Amino acid sequence: MLLNQQLVQQFVSQAVMYGDYEVEDAIYIQNQLIRILNASGIDNTSIATLNESATANEITQYWIQNAVDQNCIEDVLYQREIVEAQILDLITPRPSVVNREFNKAYKVSPEAATDYFYTLSKRNHYVKEDAIAHNINYDVETEYGDIEITINLSKPEKDAQQIAQAKEAPSSDYPQCALCVENEGYVGSVLQAARSNHRIVHLMLGNQRWAFQYSPYAYFNEHSIVLSESHVPMKINQQTFVNLLDFIDQFPHYFIGSNADIPVVGGSILSHNHYQSGKYVFPMDNAAEVENFKIVEYPSIQASTLNWPMSVIRLKSTKKNELIEAATYVMNQWNQYTDEAVAIRAYSNKGERHHTVTPIARYRHQQYELDIVLRDNQTSEQYPDGIFHPHKDVQHIKKENIGLIEVMGTAILPGRLKQELRQVKRYLLGESQLDIGVHQQWAEKMLQNYDISSSNVDQIVDNEVGYKFKRVLEDAGVFKNTDQGQQAFSRFINSL
Ligand SMILES: [Zn+2]
């Protein structure tokens, strides 16, 4: 394979503009491209097939396809991704420069700093905007306000060959996990993500070293990850509130939250302490305050419950330290709280802890806000997956743990639903011979409840998916929105 001279020049000019290089580095960059793509040289006779405004990423994708077609790269997803990250690393400044530029921009404003880093992360295709655009997104109106549905179609599927290679591959403990800082610049393998073009910004939170990076497959605007510089397990304690509010002080235009630190009610990675942040207003942010109350020992804190399917206590104050104290108090009270009447138990008979919280921090109307979502991870004979987890009859839509993003009212639903919902719609329109598997009961109910036609079927199914997600959140809520549940919630609040 030969690389077109004109495209190489276009790429080199972007490496000089955005990366660490200067004009004198042109031949050096050209030879890096030849090495990475397994090419044999330069073609200076034919005309480029991409136009002059092609981005470095567009040129890269074009070369990778050519390299695959000419057997210079194996046609397996992870090999393509390794090559892509290595090429786009050439248009990315090295980590120290990124940190210096970030801090320089921060002196202008926190927004200027995150804008700089986000633009860089999109330009070098670390954040995969084109893949994210494949997701299906819409809102559904409920009694809690609008909730958001996302059917996640952004992550490319691994092909059979890669799955087979992964089975054979020896496991490696470097980097220790997908969130470890050792991923910065890591080449990747069949088991580990390609991270040559990955960059991290270093932060101090609560006098400890933390790292900040964007999420390649974002679920919301400027979806970012704040991670501990050491590989230590998820832990929600007073230090968590200190760290979250310290981040909010430094980036008041972002929210930040943490997944819970115990199984069933947390996120997918419990082994590495991390938070998620971004520039986004979630449905829960807009949930109406229902009951305002005072916590005796912290009279300056405004506390309230929310009109929300999960059980949330919102604390607001202009005084950061008092807010941290009050949040810690609420969390500690919850972690010890048992109410047998509504099946809430802080500990198992064997002394295993069942309670924790999902905390979210933001700065709004000149004060700090902390939303503390109460969680309980018990299982029972009736609910082996979790008493406060999506129950069997809604698992055909969502059976995974209800983590931070869902808690806030944004459903991240599996990609399989795109095809399955299409089948359900055909079934509803009369193709009753179709096998719609796990969705059968739901479809029968829709047929009973609606007069379905081709003009309203999309709207009905979209809304019904939203109502299922609402039920998913209600299942995960510890105090139900029933008289009995709300009386139990009041008992907890009165105990504060
Ligand atoms: Zn780790």
Side-chain angles (χ1 to χ4, degrees), residues 175-183 228 230-232 269 271-273:
Q176 249 179 301
C177 82
L179 293 178
C180 275
V181 290
E182 286 80 10
N183 284 286
S228 166
S230 43
H231 180 80
V232 293
I269 300 181
S271 61
H272 192 129
N273 205 10

Short mmCIF file of all heavy atoms in Angstrom, two decimals, residues 175-183 228 230-232 269 271-273, ligand 1:
data_model
loop_
_atom_site.label_atom_id
_atom_site.label_comp_id
_atom_site.label_asym_id
_atom_site.label_seq_id
_atom_site.Cartn_x
_atom_site.Cartn_y
_atom_site.Cartn_z
N PRO A 175 -2.74 -2.23 31.98
CA PRO A 175 -3.16 -1.50 33.17
C PRO A 175 -4.14 -2.35 34.00
O PRO A 175 -4.84 -3.20 33.43
CB PRO A 175 -3.87 -0.27 32.60
CG PRO A 175 -3.48 -0.19 31.17
CD PRO A 175 -3.19 -1.59 30.75
N GLN A 176 -4.19 -2.08 35.30
CA GLN A 176 -4.99 -2.92 36.20
C GLN A 176 -6.47 -2.93 35.82
O GLN A 176 -7.14 -3.93 35.98
CB GLN A 176 -4.84 -2.42 37.63
CG GLN A 176 -4.07 -3.39 38.51
CD GLN A 176 -3.92 -2.86 39.90
OE1 GLN A 176 -3.36 -1.78 40.11
NE2 GLN A 176 -4.43 -3.58 40.87
N CYS A 177 -7.01 -1.78 35.37
CA CYS A 177 -8.40 -1.76 34.92
C CYS A 177 -8.57 -0.66 33.88
O CYS A 177 -7.66 0.11 33.63
CB CYS A 177 -9.37 -1.58 36.10
SG CYS A 177 -9.59 0.12 36.65
N ALA A 178 -9.77 -0.60 33.31
CA ALA A 178 -10.04 0.35 32.21
C ALA A 178 -9.97 1.80 32.67
O ALA A 178 -9.87 2.70 31.84
CB ALA A 178 -11.40 0.05 31.60
N LEU A 179 -10.05 2.04 33.99
CA LEU A 179 -10.04 3.41 34.48
C LEU A 179 -8.67 3.87 34.99
O LEU A 179 -8.48 5.04 35.30
CB LEU A 179 -11.07 3.57 35.61
CG LEU A 179 -12.54 3.43 35.20
CD1 LEU A 179 -13.45 3.56 36.40
CD2 LEU A 179 -12.91 4.46 34.15
N CYS A 180 -7.72 2.96 35.09
CA CYS A 180 -6.42 3.33 35.66
C CYS A 180 -5.70 4.38 34.80
O CYS A 180 -5.80 4.37 33.57
CB CYS A 180 -5.55 2.09 35.80
SG CYS A 180 -5.86 1.18 37.33
N VAL A 181 -4.95 5.26 35.47
CA VAL A 181 -4.22 6.31 34.74
C VAL A 181 -3.16 5.72 33.80
O VAL A 181 -2.75 6.39 32.86
CB VAL A 181 -3.56 7.32 35.71
CG1 VAL A 181 -4.60 8.18 36.40
CG2 VAL A 181 -2.67 6.62 36.74
N GLU A 182 -2.75 4.47 34.04
CA GLU A 182 -1.76 3.83 33.16
C GLU A 182 -2.30 3.61 31.74
O GLU A 182 -1.56 3.19 30.85
CB GLU A 182 -1.29 2.50 33.74
CG GLU A 182 -0.34 2.63 34.92
CD GLU A 182 -1.06 2.94 36.23
OE1 GLU A 182 -2.31 2.87 36.27
OE2 GLU A 182 -0.36 3.26 37.21
N ASN A 183 -3.60 3.88 31.51
CA ASN A 183 -4.14 3.78 30.16
C ASN A 183 -3.69 4.92 29.26
O ASN A 183 -3.80 4.82 28.04
CB ASN A 183 -5.67 3.75 30.19
CG ASN A 183 -6.21 2.41 30.64
OD1 ASN A 183 -6.16 1.44 29.89
ND2 ASN A 183 -6.66 2.32 31.88
N SER A 228 -9.77 8.40 40.59
CA SER A 228 -8.68 8.40 41.55
C SER A 228 -7.39 8.01 40.82
O SER A 228 -7.41 7.15 39.95
CB SER A 228 -9.00 7.39 42.64
OG SER A 228 -7.85 7.14 43.40
N SER A 230 -5.04 6.41 42.03
CA SER A 230 -4.65 5.04 42.39
C SER A 230 -5.84 4.09 42.24
O SER A 230 -7.00 4.50 42.33
CB SER A 230 -4.07 4.99 43.81
OG SER A 230 -4.86 5.77 44.67
N HIS A 231 -5.53 2.84 42.00
CA HIS A 231 -6.55 1.82 41.76
C HIS A 231 -7.11 1.37 43.11
O HIS A 231 -6.67 0.37 43.68
CB HIS A 231 -5.91 0.66 40.99
CG HIS A 231 -6.86 -0.46 40.68
ND1 HIS A 231 -7.75 -0.43 39.64
CD2 HIS A 231 -7.06 -1.66 41.29
CE1 HIS A 231 -8.44 -1.55 39.61
NE2 HIS A 231 -8.04 -2.32 40.61
N VAL A 232 -8.05 2.14 43.65
CA VAL A 232 -8.67 1.80 44.94
C VAL A 232 -10.18 1.68 44.72
O VAL A 232 -10.73 2.33 43.84
CB VAL A 232 -8.38 2.88 46.01
CG1 VAL A 232 -6.90 2.91 46.37
CG2 VAL A 232 -8.85 4.26 45.55
N ILE A 269 -18.32 -0.68 37.43
CA ILE A 269 -16.94 -0.80 37.92
C ILE A 269 -16.88 -0.37 39.38
O ILE A 269 -16.95 0.81 39.70
CB ILE A 269 -15.96 0.06 37.07
CG1 ILE A 269 -16.00 -0.41 35.61
CG2 ILE A 269 -14.55 -0.03 37.62
CD1 ILE A 269 -15.07 0.35 34.69
N SER A 271 -14.29 -1.50 41.28
CA SER A 271 -12.91 -1.74 41.71
C SER A 271 -12.04 -0.48 41.64
O SER A 271 -10.93 -0.47 42.17
CB SER A 271 -12.28 -2.83 40.85
OG SER A 271 -12.27 -2.42 39.50
N HIS A 272 -12.51 0.58 40.98
CA HIS A 272 -11.69 1.79 40.85
C HIS A 272 -12.56 3.01 41.18
O HIS A 272 -13.54 3.28 40.48
CB HIS A 272 -11.12 1.89 39.43
CG HIS A 272 -10.06 2.94 39.32
ND1 HIS A 272 -8.82 2.69 38.76
CD2 HIS A 272 -10.03 4.23 39.71
CE1 HIS A 272 -8.09 3.79 38.81
NE2 HIS A 272 -8.81 4.75 39.37
N ASN A 273 -12.17 3.74 42.22
CA ASN A 273 -12.98 4.87 42.67
C ASN A 273 -13.05 5.95 41.58
O ASN A 273 -12.01 6.41 41.10
CB ASN A 273 -12.37 5.45 43.95
CG ASN A 273 -13.40 6.18 44.80
OD1 ASN A 273 -14.61 6.09 44.53
ND2 ASN A 273 -12.94 6.88 45.82
ZN ZN B 1 -7.96 0.93 38.00
#
